[in-house]
Amino acid sequence: MSKWDKLLTKICSLSRDLRFDELCKVLEGCGYKMNVPKGGSSHYTFRKPGCQPITIPKHEPIKRVYVEMVKQVVESEGDNDENAE
């Protein structure tokens, strides 16, 4: 199993030990672009054309609600991949 697959499995199982960088990696892998906050905010916004923006604060540990948001993105991307085949 590759590192990418392990990371996706970790997200889909709603693991409590995820880091902000791991969520960024997955979102960017799904086509989202990270917007760096201005004015000292810790909330990063990820945008993708045709999709709702996702805002995640850069705090450790990551709260479950943000992991669930990323899980929904991963699942929807999986559905899109299946439809493309």
Side-chain angles (χ1 to χ4, degrees):
M1 184 181 274
S2 69
K3 287 183 181 181
W4 178 257
D5 291 334
K6 287 180 183 178
L7 183 56
L8 293 180
T9 302
K10 208 170 162 182
I11 287 173
C12 289
S13 69
L14 300 176
S15 177
R16 293 184 177 268
D17 63 341
L18 284 163
R19 296 187 321 262
F20 178 81
D21 296 339
E22 292 172 324
L23 295 183
C24 290
K25 187 177 192 178
V26 169
L27 287 171
E28 289 174 345
C30 291
Y32 282 79
K33 302 288 183 201
M34 180 173 68
N35 293 354
V36 179
K38 297 178 183 172
S41 176
S42 63
H43 288 66
Y44 288 73
T45 303
F46 296 85
R47 297 182 189 278
K48 180 178 177 181
C51 297
Q52 288 279 63
I54 298 174
T55 302
I56 301 176
K58 188 173 185 178
H59 298 291
E60 302 292 333
I62 299 292
K63 291 186 179 179
R64 182 182 175 118
V65 67
Y66 301 111
V67 177
E68 288 173 355
M69 283 187 220
V70 176
K71 178 183 176 187
Q72 289 175 353
V73 169
V74 168
E75 289 173 347
S76 70
E77 290 293 320
D79 293 342
N80 291 343
D81 290 344
E82 289 173 4
N83 292 337
E85 293 175 355

